[in-house]
Amino acid sequence: LVSVLSSAIVVYRLPWTWKCSKLLMKFIHAGLNTIAMILAIVSMVAVFEYHNIRSIPNMYSLHSWIGLTAVIFYSLQLFLGFAVFLLPFAPVSLRAALMPIHVYSGLTIFATVIATALTGITEKLIFSLKNPSYSASPPEATFVNCLGLLLVIFGALILWMASRPHWKRPPEENAKLLRPIGETPEGTEAESTMTDGSNADKSELRISSEAARKQNLKVDEAGQRSTM
């Protein structure tokens, strides 16, 4: 879940994918998230079956609470992502309003998954290491602690990549995501108006500069005549 979900997050942030079709990138993003969701469900089923066979209580630890929360919100995120951003039925205004929420919730779920993994490996060490115990820092404990630190570094790197403005897909490519087939790109009218206004301002500036130049020439000629 950590590796596949992180790949789904950064798939839009890779500069060499910006030339690819936005529809293709949407399918890749949705496909990776679907694979991660399937793996999460299989893992949940395996955990509950293992607990039931070994007569271990279910859902009593912080690890299980965080993990179940992550899976529930991830399933909601995936469903809304399909319904709003992949299927061509949602209005553009709804997509634009939900896009920041979709991005923020995805990053939050990823951070929750990292926290689930960290609490899970710590819990496993405490229960599994008996002689020597976890507190004695045997090689297994050192190895898994280093794995936890790598998970933290990896998660921080993914969040850093996802939050850098210069790693974002260019705006003109983003506009294609929100544009229904046959409709002009978002902001075209506004950009056209701004361009027209800018051109008008430039024209007025040129006229004013030309008038000032002519006025200066007249003053220079008058000065030369008075000198002569």
Side-chain angles (χ1 to χ4, degrees):
L1 184 59
V2 172
S3 59
V4 180
L5 178 55
S6 62
S7 301
I9 290 175
V10 301
V11 71
Y12 285 118
R13 305 289 176 166
L14 305 177
W16 56 85
T17 65
W18 294 346
K19 295 180 181 180
C20 299
S21 166
K22 192 56 181 276
L23 183 61
L24 173 63
M25 300 311 300
K26 286 170 64 176
F27 277 114
I28 293 175
H29 179 74
L32 289 172
N33 278 293
T34 302
I35 292 173
M37 188 70 237
I38 293 173
L39 294 177
I41 294 174
V42 171
S43 301
M44 293 284 292
V45 172
V47 168
F48 278 103
E49 287 187 355
Y50 177 80
H51 280 199
N52 294 334
I53 292 173
R54 295 297 186 93
S55 298
I56 300 174
N58 291 310
M59 301 304 300
Y60 69 92
S61 65
L62 178 62
H63 165 70
S64 60
W65 286 23
I66 298 177
L68 184 60
T69 301
V71 172
I72 291 174
F73 280 98
Y74 191 34
S75 61
L76 293 175
Q77 171 88 344
L78 188 61
F79 173 76
L80 291 177
F82 270 104
V84 176
F85 298 104
L86 192 62
L87 300 179
F89 304 117
V92 175
S93 57
L94 179 62
R95 295 186 182 187
L98 291 182
M99 179 60 76
I101 301 175
H102 180 73
V103 174
Y104 174 78
S105 59
L107 296 179
T108 303
I109 291 171
F110 176 70
T112 306
V113 169
I114 294 290
T116 304
L118 293 176
T119 55
I121 60 178
T122 304
E123 180 182 294
K124 186 64 176 178
L125 280 177
I126 294 174
F127 291 158
S128 299
L129 294 179
K130 300 298 182 182
N131 189 23
S133 64
Y134 182 32
S135 60
S137 297
E140 296 89 346
T142 303
F143 174 78
V144 176
N145 286 346
C146 291
L147 175 62
L149 288 177
L150 290 176
L151 277 173
V152 172
I153 295 172
F154 177 74
L157 179 62
I158 295 298
L159 294 176
W160 180 83
M161 292 176 62
S163 61
R164 296 300 91 190
H166 58 276
W167 283 72
K168 290 183 178 179
R169 193 177 177 93
E172 61 271 14
E173 297 295 334
N174 285 335
K176 295 177 183 178
L177 172 66
L178 302 177
R179 186 183 69 210
I181 298 175
E183 184 176 321
T184 56
E186 267 192 355
T188 302
E189 261 185 56
E191 290 173 2
S192 175
T193 304
M194 290 173 63
T195 304
D196 294 343
S198 176
N199 292 336
D201 291 341
K202 290 179 181 178
S203 300
E204 291 179 2
L205 181 61
R206 283 197 296 267
I207 293 172
S208 300
S209 300
E210 186 68 21
R213 188 178 65 82
K214 291 180 179 179
Q215 184 67 25
N216 289 335
L217 287 176
K218 290 180 181 180
V219 171
D220 291 341
E221 289 177 2
Q224 291 176 0
R225 287 172 185 168
S226 63
T227 303
M228 291 174 63

